[in-house]
Amino acid sequence: MKKDKANLIFSMLIFGSMGLVIKKIPFGSIQIAWFRGTIGCLFILAVCFLSGKGLDIRALRKNLPVLLISGCFIGANWIMLFNAYKYTDVSIATVCNYMAPVIVTFLSPLLFKERLSTLRVVCVFSAVAGLACLASAGGGLGPEGAKGIAFGLAAAVLYAGMVVCNKFLREISGRDSCAMQLGMAALFLTPFFLAGGGVSFERAGITEVALLLCLGIIHAGVAFLLYFTAIPGLPGQSVAALSYVEPAAAILFSFLILGERLTAVQLAGCILVLGSTFVSELWGGKSTAAEPNSFAQDQGSLYNK
């Protein structure tokens, strides 16, 4: 179990550092997202076939409609999130994206006939209050910061759509669904990628190309493989709790490496959003929806985020 926890924590640290890489890549969000999906998918497929395990074609066919829709949500989520990174601090964009479990919780009674506990209702309102703190402080960041928060919220809505889709997957391994959803995300992004003229590597040096490869191989392929290696050996609550290493790491890395500073109001907003989702996942009551039932396990079927 110690090894599984270490793998999960390491994967969350990788996801948490993603914004630092994206900030340094001089391409548009669509181009960056397309490369991440394409390279990540190819890397995971290569690992699958080199290990002799291959893919479960029957399971993929059975779940193809859901995988296709989920892949579209993922691709669109990346565009919004990467734009958020461009316009506001990495820490704020990451916290906004973590409003997704709040959205899923709010929709659960309608979509899955779940009954919300009093604690979860309180957590939803606390997270919204935290978001209000971030938004009110966003004015101090200027129009760019407010735009970044808007992109981050749009990313959260799309992220929630992906989570809902993954609740309908049946009899498919996390590794297979991840490889397919990354591929579907890249497929969804391809028309937009081509319409934008692709990427001119004339203005990209070795550093930029290396960052793109890092984003696809490390921040997609390696991180997801570590995640899926870890979660079978850990309780659901441990997975849910340790998943919050990602936003904590994003905030810490952005402070130490990018020199980003949070005001007292922004910090309070981050604590309210992340704290309320954390409490809701661990003590808000058991979900009656199909397994997996925690947001942390659902998000692994992608993304990271």
Side-chain angles (χ1 to χ4, degrees), residues 33 36-37 74-82 182 185 189 303 305:
R36 188 190 185 205
I74 292 169
N77 165 264
W78 287 351
I79 294 174
M80 295 296 108
L81 180 59
F82 295 173
L182 287 175
L189 291 165
Y303 246 18
K305 244 160 116 259

Side-chain angles (χ1 to χ4, degrees), residues 26-283:
F27 297 137
S29 298
I30 293 175
Q31 287 76 17
I32 296 172
W34 184 85
F35 275 109
R36 188 190 185 205
T38 302
I39 296 172
C41 177
L42 292 175
F43 179 82
I44 293 178
L45 287 176
V47 171
C48 289
F49 287 106
L50 289 174
S51 65
K53 295 180 180 179
L55 297 173
D56 186 341
I57 302 301
R58 182 195 62 81
L60 292 177
R61 286 177 178 172
K62 180 178 179 180
N63 292 281
L64 186 59
V66 177
L67 292 169
L68 176 59
I69 296 172
S70 181
C72 293
F73 275 123
I74 292 169
N77 165 264
W78 287 351
I79 294 174
M80 295 296 108
L81 180 59
F82 295 173
N83 269 316
Y85 287 149
K86 298 288 186 180
Y87 286 106
T88 190
D89 292 349
V90 169
S91 54
I92 294 177
T94 302
V95 172
C96 287
N97 193 43
Y98 257 73
M99 283 292 291
V102 177
I103 297 171
V104 173
T105 298
F106 187 76
L107 294 176
S108 290
L110 177 64
L111 296 176
F112 305 112
K113 310 302 180 184
E114 295 180 6
R115 186 175 180 179
L116 294 183
S117 65
T118 302
L119 179 57
R120 281 199 164 173
V121 172
V122 172
C123 287
V124 168
F125 282 105
S126 296
V128 172
L131 180 63
C133 290
L134 290 176
S136 63
L141 299 175
E144 296 279 291
K147 188 182 293 186
I149 290 175
F151 276 123
L153 282 178
V157 172
L158 293 162
Y159 195 172
M162 179 278 299
V163 171
V164 170
C165 284
N166 275 267
K167 286 182 176 288
F168 292 97
L169 291 176
R170 297 292 184 270
E171 300 175 10
I172 185 171
S173 71
R175 184 202 60 191
D176 286 2
S177 68
C178 180
M180 182 57 65
Q181 288 179 82
L182 287 175
M184 291 296 183
L187 183 64
F188 166 78
L189 291 165
T190 296
F192 303 101
F193 177 79
L194 295 176
V199 169
S200 174
F201 282 99
E202 293 180 357
R203 65 192 186 103
I206 296 177
T207 300
E208 287 74 19
V209 173
L211 289 174
L212 282 175
L213 291 173
C214 176
L215 187 66
I217 295 174
I218 305 299
H219 291 88
V222 172
F224 285 129
L225 288 176
L226 284 172
Y227 186 94
F228 287 117
T229 299
I231 59 176
L234 293 172
Q237 284 193 336
S238 295
V239 176
L242 292 175
S243 71
Y244 286 86
V245 170
E246 178 191 346
I251 293 172
L252 181 61
F253 290 154
S254 65
F255 173 78
L256 295 177
I257 299 175
L258 298 179
E260 296 179 354
R261 299 292 188 270
L262 293 174
T263 66
V265 175
Q266 290 171 331
L267 183 58
C270 291
I271 293 172
L272 279 171
V273 172
L274 298 180
S276 59
T277 54
F278 178 85
V279 170
S280 178
E281 282 299 316
L282 265 64
W283 298 293

